[in-house]
Amino acid sequence: MEYFEQKQGGEKTILVSVAIHILEDLDAEEFRLLAKSAGAEILEHVHAQRFKPDAKYFIGSGKAEEIAARVEELEATLVIIDHALTPSQERNLSRTIKCRVIDRTRLILDIFAQRARTHEGKLQVELAQLDHLSSRLVGTGISLDSQKGGIGLRGPGETQLETDRRLLRVRVGQLKDKLEKVRQTRIQGRAARQKAAIPTVSLVGYTNAGKSTLFNTLAKSDVYAADQLFATLDPTLRRLEWDGIGPLVLADTVGFVRNLAHALVESFKATLEETLEASLLLHVIDSSSPDHMEQIEAVEKVLKEIGADIPILRVYNKIDQSGEQAKIIYAKPNVPERVYVSAHTGEGFDLLRQAVQECLMGQIQNFDVLLKPAYGKLRNQLYALNVIQSENYDDEGNLHLQVYIAPHKLEQLIKQAHLPINEILGLKAKQFHRELEEFEIKS
């Protein structure tokens, strides 16, 4: 069965933002962008304020009647509330306003349904939709076959909506089984990468922070990127060669928003596991956004919720718009905390690569390397990493190299070639061993 009926928006919509207490900071522009991303034709944006949610209507009976009058006057077909509603609140509002009413969670699910392209993405969206809709569809006594299509209704189709609670549980169980198989496949892929000592770097961040643009530039890829919320939903992995590190896997993941329902996070665990298993997280931040501090907090809240206890490098993107200079900020010597770049112009990318190298491998240093003629394989590996600064031969045919590389990576290459470290590094071998011990303690 296909659960993604792509009726393209244009629904006449009234948006309702409700501040529950006086200090609550609602991002009205983000809410409008979410609605536009779903294809809504926004007729009016109503703002309200309450000390606490009304049990029956959430927004209160007076505000509900006010919106009902505006719906009739403007001939609106949909009302979207920028909060999560209970099933009874959603039904009560729909009856009073005499119009379809959906909440923020259902709006985001609709966008996900439009953006999902892969089999896995569609499975995750359907699971999240069924979890959200089951309490609203079962036992309502409402015929829903006329509500196919439209914002908040892309998903389980006519026959699925009419099934009982038991059949919904069966379908949810099937979806979870399929997603578990996806998860097992991912685990096998990660195990192979870990066995080959290939680090994974995952891009995370608030939606529309420029993750996919940054990913495309770094990986020389063509992942879809656009100036809209949730432009990409499905995770994308690319293997690339990074100077000084060698092969690594770069992963682009779904963007986050504020007030992301726990059920959505649970349904997208299979995607977010790429984040959990990464060696390093690049937290991409829109430095030009006036709300970037709140966006950072929203992303880190979700990362904490999924248990992502992984080193993070904050990447402040869009410096071409914010006016910031390309630079690296260190938390302490040789430990980068943030880097400022522009994915659009490429400014600061050399600093980003340096910061990633330092995060993954420790401080990059210069080494004098002595290679006998028989050690040509190690020379080729160093050239492949593009870390050789200069080379010359002595009278005995030995090769002297100036190498700019992380100690940890140099040790790995020497051990893989089964060569003696003391012979290759000479008098500096003892210092080299001390630095490795310090790096391992810091790690």
Side-chain angles (χ1 to χ4, degrees), residues 146-165:
S146 63
Q147 295 188 6
K148 287 171 53 180
I151 296 173
L153 293 171
R154 296 180 181 90
E158 177 180 356
T159 57
Q160 188 67 30
L161 294 176
E162 293 171 349
T163 128
D164 60 17
R165 193 180 296 271

Side-chain angles (χ1 to χ4, degrees), residues 241-247 357 361 364-372 375-391 399-417 419 424-425 432:
E241 297 292 326
W242 199 297
D243 289 353
I245 297 174
Q357 286 176 344
M361 311 303 296
I364 310 298
Q365 298 179 31
N366 273 308
F367 291 98
D368 294 318
V369 173
L370 173 65
L371 298 181
K372 292 183 176 180
Y375 299 165
K377 182 179 179 181
L378 178 57
R379 174 183 177 274
N380 294 339
Q381 290 176 318
L382 292 170
Y383 260 108
L385 291 175
N386 195 27
V387 296
I388 296 178
Q389 306 295 303
S390 65
E391 67 173 13
L399 183 61
H400 294 263
L401 300 175
Q402 282 282 335
V403 178
Y404 189 59
I405 192 172
H408 194 262
K409 185 64 178 180
L410 181 57
E411 181 202 34
Q412 180 188 29
L413 294 174
I414 294 173
K415 284 186 175 179
Q416 286 176 349
L419 299 177
I424 290 174
L425 295 178
F432 178 77

Side-chain angles (χ1 to χ4, degrees), residues 238-345:
R238 293 288 186 274
R239 176 171 169 149
L240 60 148
E241 297 292 326
W242 199 297
D243 289 353
I245 297 174
L248 62 79
V249 172
L250 195 66
D252 187 18
T253 58
V254 63
F256 301 145
V257 294
R258 274 176 277 191
N259 302 322
L260 192 62
H262 180 76
L264 294 182
V265 176
E266 282 295 312
S267 297
F268 284 81
K269 274 282 179 70
T271 299
L272 295 172
E273 277 187 356
E274 287 299 336
T275 299
L276 287 173
E277 299 297 330
S279 308
L280 175 67
L281 298 182
L282 298 185
H283 181 179
V284 183
I285 299 160
D286 179 358
S287 64
S288 68
S289 171
D291 301 321
H292 71 269
M293 292 304 298
E294 290 82 2
Q295 294 173 1
I296 291 171
E297 184 179 343
V299 172
E300 293 183 350
K301 180 181 177 182
V302 175
L303 292 175
K304 184 177 180 180
E305 188 174 342
I306 65 175
D309 186 18
I310 297 162
I312 296 177
L313 174 65
R314 289 182 177 178
V315 180
Y316 284 76
N317 189 27
K318 303 187 182 182
I319 60 172
D320 54 308
Q321 299 178 29
S322 68
E324 295 274 3
Q325 296 296 314
K327 58 188 174 185
I328 301 178
I329 303 295
Y330 289 86
K332 52 186 176 180
N334 308 320
V335 181
E337 179 185 62
R338 63 182 84 166
V339 59
Y340 290 78
V341 304
S342 169
H344 180 66
T345 66

Side-chain angles (χ1 to χ4, degrees), residues 28-139:
E29 184 58 29
E30 178 183 282
F31 185 33
R32 291 178 67 87
L33 285 173
L34 283 169
K36 286 181 179 179
S37 295
E41 178 189 340
I42 300 172
L43 303 179
E44 188 170 339
H45 193 162
V46 177
H47 295 267
Q49 191 169 326
R50 289 190 62 83
F51 179 71
K52 63 179 182 178
D54 178 68
K56 186 174 182 180
Y57 294 107
F58 188 86
I59 60 176
S61 58
K63 183 60 70 172
E65 290 171 3
E66 177 188 325
I67 293 171
R70 297 299 294 158
V71 164
E72 184 177 4
E73 182 180 345
L74 298 174
E75 298 182 346
T77 58
L78 176 67
V79 172
I80 307 177
I81 310 292
D82 192 16
H83 270 280
L85 301 175
T86 66
S88 62
Q89 286 170 342
E90 196 171 295
R91 288 194 296 271
N92 293 335
L93 283 170
S94 295
R95 290 174 184 144
T96 300
I97 296 174
K98 295 181 176 59
C99 172
R100 277 198 309 114
V101 176
I102 66 172
D103 63 4
R104 180 185 178 89
T105 301
R106 202 158 166 185
L107 171 63
I108 292 173
L109 280 171
D110 183 87
I111 299 170
F112 282 5
Q114 295 182 56
R115 301 286 191 264
R117 294 292 178 266
T118 66
H119 175 63
E120 177 194 352
K122 292 180 180 181
L123 287 175
Q124 291 178 128
V125 170
E126 186 186 344
L127 175 59
Q129 287 177 319
L130 290 180
D131 280 340
H132 182 71
L133 293 175
S134 59
S135 60
R136 288 158 167 77
L137 302 182
V138 179

Side-chain angles (χ1 to χ4, degrees), residues 421-435:
I421 291 180
N422 291 345
E423 180 181 308
I424 290 174
L425 295 178
L427 296 175
K428 290 190 177 181
K430 288 184 179 180
Q431 178 187 348
F432 178 77
H433 287 301
R434 281 199 305 272
E435 289 169 350

